[in-house]
Amino acid sequence: MDFGKMLQGIRGISADVCGRMRGLANVRNARRVALIALGAGIMTFGIHNIHQVVGITEGGVIGGLLLLNHWFGIPTSIVSPLLDMACYAVGLVLLGAGFLGWSAVASAFLALFYALWESLPHMLPDLSALPLVAALLGGVFVGLGAGLVVRCGASAGGDDALALSINKLTGWRLARCYLFTDLSVLVLSLSYIPAANIVFSLVTVFVSSPLIDFVVGFGRSDRDETASNVTADGRV
């Protein structure tokens, strides 16, 4: 038996397997990047063409950037990465660096798409006379877009890092942490949005939240565990 040829054959097979694995990893990563980009595009499209036009806000970081955009005129393409970085900095201290990688990719796409939509005229009809329709439709855009991003193991903004950080500090359930950040921003938003519109903002929040859960868990047998593991798993 020629052990040299056998060893050479084993090495060839190993190299072929490694090459195929790298190829699969590259395809999977390319698909993940594409889905993150799609999610970021959907979410920012809805925020720019519905939320900002009608005056319906979101909670969390999205609501925060709309608040700063209104009072200080700072473009959302600038505010978005700044708020995200602030939340990620808190998360880095409290949670470690493991969850940051793909979230940074998502944050870059969010800023790019905000810049794109801001350079174009609004693409949807003005729904100011139909605030309930705007709230429902806006919630769908945010829920679908953010759900795709979170499904890929990333964060659709600093909301996730902030909520996880609050969870780490207080021991509250994660749902309560999200509700705390959302309601805090909505209360501040009363400074420029009529109370009636805040009610419609709550409609948006209650539409987008379960839709995110649905998109993240769609087609997965481990749906109950998905929300807690998705940032570490990132399966698409």
Side-chain angles (χ1 to χ4, degrees), residues 26 30 34 36-37 40 69 71 82 98 105 112 161 178 193 204 221 223:
N26 290 336
I36 289 174
N69 174 260
W71 282 117
L82 290 178
V105 174
L112 287 172
Y178 278 108
I193 295 178
T204 292
S221 59
R223 183 169 182 173

Side-chain angles (χ1 to χ4, degrees), residues 22-232:
R22 282 194 296 269
L24 288 173
N26 290 336
V27 170
R28 184 175 180 181
N29 286 340
R31 184 186 179 200
R32 187 181 298 185
V33 170
L35 285 176
I36 289 174
L38 177 62
I42 291 172
M43 187 175 74
T44 54
F45 181 87
I47 292 170
H48 178 71
N49 288 283
I50 298 175
H51 292 75
Q52 288 181 299
V53 173
V54 180
I56 293 175
T57 189
E58 270 271 355
V61 170
I62 296 174
L65 69 90
L66 293 176
L67 181 72
L68 292 174
N69 174 260
H70 175 84
W71 282 117
F72 300 102
I74 306 173
T76 49
S77 57
I78 295 176
V79 179
S80 174
L82 290 178
L83 288 180
D84 284 345
M85 283 189 289
C87 293
Y88 292 150
V90 174
L92 180 62
V93 173
L94 295 173
L95 305 170
F99 77 104
L100 287 179
W102 287 107
S103 296
V105 174
S107 191
F109 276 119
L110 288 167
L112 287 172
F113 275 108
Y114 277 129
L116 173 62
W117 304 137
E118 287 170 352
S119 69
L120 299 171
H122 289 107
M123 299 181 184
L124 293 179
D126 186 346
L127 297 173
S128 299
L130 300 168
L132 180 57
V133 174
L136 293 171
L137 189 58
V140 170
F141 273 106
V142 171
L144 285 176
L148 284 173
V149 174
V150 174
R151 183 180 176 89
C152 294
S155 163
D159 304 74
D160 298 325
L162 185 58
L164 288 167
S165 299
I166 295 172
N167 170 263
K168 181 79 171 180
L169 285 173
T170 64
W172 292 351
R173 295 187 62 172
L174 198 55
R176 185 179 180 185
C177 298
Y178 278 108
L179 185 62
F180 173 77
T181 58
D182 286 343
L183 292 180
S184 298
V185 171
L186 289 177
V187 168
L188 290 174
S189 298
L190 285 169
S191 63
Y192 76 101
I193 295 178
N197 280 20
I198 292 294
V199 172
F200 294 116
S201 298
L202 289 172
V203 172
T204 292
V205 169
F206 283 110
V207 169
S208 61
S209 297
L211 190 53
I212 290 172
D213 285 339
F214 175 78
V215 173
V216 170
F218 182 75
R220 291 175 171 172
S221 59
D222 58 341
R223 183 169 182 173
D224 291 338
E225 300 178 2
T226 299
S228 60
N229 296 330
V230 67
T231 53

